[in-house]
Each structure stands twice: as structure tokens, then as C-alpha cells.
Amino acid sequence: MNKNFIKYKTIDGIKILELTNEGEQVLKTIGITVNEKRSRGGIVHNFYIDQIKKALINQGHFTFIEQDNIDLVADNLKKKIAIEMETGDSDIEGKLWKLARYKADKKFMLATNKEALLKIQSIYKPLLIPDKENIQIYFVKDFQKELPQIISY
């Protein structure tokens, strides 16, 4: 098999595989349908979105990926949560503005790595945006561990 057809990352001991564009094209040429991606991020971004989505569902939330251009929105019919995932490779300030303008009871920017966390914090601190006090920043693994306490109302 051609190694250019699949890329992978290991996250927490789990090997995550993803088709490359070249791999998708090869499958399409032989008649295999390739599902569209649910989210715009890469494999690390999508892995954590999926993990948090499952945890929120277990907590009784309805979840929506890429609702109103927000990575993950969760609603338990009482309160709404908005989550943006950040790997450090995108427009962090733009994501913070997007969260600031979004109508949700709790808003989170989650970093997938420590470098991204530091980057988010350095951009967030001097930023003058509306509803800033309601945006919480976490390292994604800390968020996962503390999820029930963090989202309690």
C-alpha cells in the first residue's frame, strides 16, 4: 500500500488514521464513496471534538458539530455550551471573537497541546472583546478530566 494514502497521529496511545486527499481520490476512482468530513479541523482536532462530544452526550446534552461555525455546541435544554478547539495552527484571535459573539451560557477555548495553550493565553490576555469574562481557556486533557464540574450549572 502507498504510504501517501493515509496519515496518522498517535494520541494517548491511540493511533488515529485519516485518508489523505490522494487516498480519497484513489477510492473515488474505484467507486468507493468517501464520507464528507464533519469538522474542518485535522485529525487531532477532530479526535478531541469527538471525545468531548461523547462525554457531553453522556452528561445529557444534545451536541452539534460546526453549528453556526462553532466547533462543538452542546445544549441540555437549560443551558448552551460553545467549544472551540485549537491546535495552535489557526486564527486564535478570530476564534476568540467568534466565541465572544456567540450566544451561549458557557464558552470554552480548548488547546490540544501546551504550546497552543500558551499561545491562546497570550492572545486572550490583552484582547478587548465582549463577554470576555465568560470565555474559559483549558488544556483539553484537563477539560476532559474536570468536565462534570466545569459544565455544572
Side-chain angles (χ1 to χ4, degrees):
M1 176 176 332
N2 186 331
K3 291 182 181 180
N4 295 327
F5 296 159
I6 296 174
K7 59 185 172 184
Y8 75 92
K9 293 255 183 176
T10 303
I11 305 170
D12 299 333
I14 300 168
K15 190 178 272 191
I16 309 297
L17 305 173
E18 182 178 49
L19 284 172
T20 62
N21 290 337
E22 187 179 352
E24 288 179 10
Q25 292 307 313
V26 168
L27 290 177
K28 287 178 185 177
T29 61
I30 60 174
I32 297 175
T33 303
V34 178
N35 292 334
E36 293 294 318
K37 294 177 184 169
R38 297 174 300 154
S39 180
R40 291 183 299 234
I43 56 179
V44 173
H45 175 277
N46 292 339
F47 172 81
Y48 284 118
I49 289 291
D50 190 57
Q51 294 295 306
I52 292 168
K53 176 185 173 188
K54 288 175 185 174
L56 287 166
I57 289 170
N58 288 336
Q59 295 285 324
H61 289 79
F62 297 98
T63 60
F64 309 92
I65 293 176
E66 293 296 339
Q67 183 179 58
D68 299 324
N69 206 24
I70 298 290
D71 288 336
L72 180 63
V73 174
D75 194 330
N76 70 357
L77 303 179
K78 295 177 188 168
K79 301 282 182 168
K80 186 185 277 191
I81 298 169
I83 298 172
E84 279 291 316
M85 189 69 60
E86 181 54 51
T87 60
D89 298 328
S90 65
D91 179 9
I92 295 170
E93 185 174 333
K95 283 186 172 189
L96 287 165
W97 271 100
K98 188 173 22 167
L99 276 174
R101 289 189 292 259
Y102 192 74
K103 298 283 186 214
D105 300 290
K106 294 198 174 201
K107 304 172 187 186
F108 302 96
M109 173 77 91
L110 307 180
T112 61
N113 58 69
K114 294 293 186 177
E115 295 80 19
L117 180 63
L118 293 172
K119 204 171 177 182
I120 294 165
Q121 291 169 333
S122 69
I123 292 170
Y124 173 82
K125 191 171 183 174
L127 196 60
L128 299 174
I129 54 176
D131 206 28
K132 182 177 179 177
E133 65 279 0
N134 289 322
I135 298 173
Q136 298 175 53
I137 299 167
Y138 282 90
F139 177 51
V140 69
K141 291 180 184 183
D142 294 337
F143 183 84
Q144 288 174 299
K145 286 179 201 165
E146 301 170 25
L147 183 66
Q149 296 81 20
I150 293 170
I151 65 167
S152 65
Y153 301 108

